[in-house]
Amino acid sequence: MTDIDVKKPKRKVDVCGYPLSIFFIVVNEFCERFSYYGMRAVLVLYFRYFLKWDDDLATSIYHTFIALCYLTPILGAIVADSWLGKFKTIVYLSIVYTVGQVVMAVSAIHDITDTDRDGTPDNMTFHVAMSMVGLFLIALGTGGIKPCVAAFGGDQFEDHQEKQRSTFFSIFYLSINAGSLLSTVITPILRGQECGIHSQQKCYPLAFGVPAALMVVALIVFIMGSGMYNKTAPKGNIMLEVCKCIGFAVKNRFRHRSKKFPKREHWMDWADEKYDKLLVAQVKMVLKVLFLYIPLPMFWTLFDQQGSRWTLQATTMDGNFGILTVQPDQMQTVNPILILALVPIMDSLVYPLIKKCHLNFTPLKRMTVGMLIAALAFVAAALLQLQIDQTLPKLPQGVAGQVKFLNLDSAPLTLTIDGTIDVSVPAHQVNTGDYLTFDKSVRVVFNKNTSTGTGLTLMSQTRRTALVSPTLDMNLVYDLSKKPDDGMNAIRFVNGLGSVLNVTLGVGDIAPLSVSNYSLVPQGKAEFTIMDSGGASCLYSKELGFGSAFTLVIPSTFTIGSPDCWQAIQVVEDIQPNTIHMGWQIPQYFLMTAGEVVFSVTGLEFSYSQAPSNMKSVLQAGWLFTVAVGNIIVLIVAEAAQLPDQWAEYILFASLLVVVCIVFAIMSYFYTYTDPAEIEAELRQPEHEPEEKKKKRDQVEMERKDSDCSKSSKGSDKKKKDSVVEQLNQEVKQSKM
């Protein structure tokens, strides 16, 4: 070890009884959490709309990234405790983290490979490769420093500063939620801006660049406090010791599998030949809790879909909140807001009320209820999805062809198709009803007075509009094959005049009797200026919602330059805008957050109260591992199920969680609560104590094991409970990390 790992801080500065060094740690945590949650808030939309992946692939890669973020803390803890120490681990992995954020920001610059300057990257492989490298480095960095930062902050306090240490963890928790909340509000706004060198596109470089800049600030601030930190030397990693002890027990049991060897009370007792009885007993207590962790990943399977499936669901909804327009990724801010509100409500109101009703609401029962509430959240999401599906366009699937007819003439037309189907088309309008579907070549006859028209050949799997000119010529154009992405509105113009027109907002020149391409316009009031070759103009404005498509017909009777020229423009709605409001997602967010408060915080509290004091980090690693496994389950279930309807997938996940919840409830019923402190104290007593005392202690131990959970909790005094709570602060306050 180098001197910097073991020596005391160069200068010990206290402010109001607190080490000044914790200021740098709190600011570092705020910036790091802003960086992580800001990047993560827009990540699934970056996959969906920049890399052009479908919903399933975007969801899969998103959850793979989250799983990595919760697997790497194990590596970070081992490196910090066994090799580099917390300070160096935080610095080195923060550098890796920062590089990853910068790489992500660079990967989102579309102009790098947009050689033809059409706004679309020409080498998507480059952007995908850069993104994957960036995400891997971020996962390594954020996960690696996760178990180190809070513990390093706790190391800055002396033994007599227990009260200040407890307050520090509260401030630390506040900085986490403040960074999370602000970033999930700000980065979607940055993403919604338009930027670029050759063409203006959604500004993902800015949405990733600001979190990268915050990570640079976090690293600099943390290093600035180097001279004030108390840097303790690595003391060895308890997780490695636990793994070695378990490994030896398994190997020793395998060696003595013959019936001639007497059985032992617990399979971990086979480690007694090499390891201290106290360590073996501690490992038994940890394994007892870890066994209860087996069903827990299913909760995180549902919880972490807030940033993937629920965000994608919000893209098909209306985000207009009056004077405020909410982006789909901003709905994720509901969770941290509700967390800050529900935690004190549960602790100060709900739990005391349940206690007054004389209900034995034990930690394991709380966790079971939390899982059920999370399942209800997905039922709410499924019900909402059913309502959304009714508003989505019924696009053609596997048909030979679909056509609707737009009449550019000033008189109505009657279309006879193969002599059987008559379609009436009003002047300057489309035929009423949906698209007509054909499965073969057809001939269309136009009847205008005594005139007859031309034929029309349909092609496979198309959705087209037939433009019928005043001279009864036919022109086929493609319509949209899907709803516009990211809540944008697709607008196109049909020029029914005999001269060229120019339309602003990206539409451009429109030849006579033809149609423009669709132009994507954001939500809000859109103003188009229509000009002819002589310079005369007409201003047309339209209020747009989310995800609509319109064809605006400029009829042959259009008089450009007149004050009311805009009134002559005919509006044809190709795809209706989103009509289900994003506010309807709040109930499912409320249920999920309530489930998180009851499940997550209680789960950590239970785990820490049931484990030895020197093995809290083992349980923290196990808890984070359940989050990683939960995200992996998303990949497995989503890929294996392949359900055609999203609401059905929501119901599937909810059903799986209910089944797992029942299993967990059964496991909890047979669980016996223990007091690790008492067990450790007994095992530390001299082995030469009187035999009668040993027998008496064994009898007490058996009675304690058989006691009910409520009796056990009543037997613990307030001082011991407060001690456990203080030990929990460090990890419980990081539940949002």
Side-chain angles (χ1 to χ4, degrees), residues 410-483:
S410 57
L413 292 176
T414 300
L415 286 71
T416 301
I417 304 172
D418 277 350
T420 57
I421 304 176
D422 288 333
V423 179
S424 298
V425 188
H428 306 131
Q429 297 195 24
V430 299
N431 55 291
T432 58
D434 202 356
Y435 289 78
L436 298 177
T437 302
F438 306 97
D439 59 0
K440 56 185 176 57
S441 297
V442 298
R443 181 169 182 78
V444 181
V445 178
F446 309 109
N447 297 319
K448 177 186 176 185
N449 298 329
T450 58
S451 301
T452 58
T454 182
L456 166 67
T457 300
L458 299 178
M459 301 177 67
S460 64
Q461 295 185 3
T462 59
R463 175 173 176 164
R464 299 167 175 249
T465 295
L467 305 180
V468 186
S469 72
T471 57
L472 300 182
D473 289 332
M474 179 74 73
N475 181 26
L476 280 174
V477 295
Y478 283 99
D479 286 4
L480 286 182
S481 59
K482 63 187 180 88
K483 200 173 182 69

Side-chain angles (χ1 to χ4, degrees), residues 320-333:
N320 186 7
F321 285 77
I323 61 173
L324 178 65
T325 299
V326 175
Q327 299 298 323
D329 34 2
Q330 285 181 310
M331 285 301 295
Q332 298 175 55
T333 60

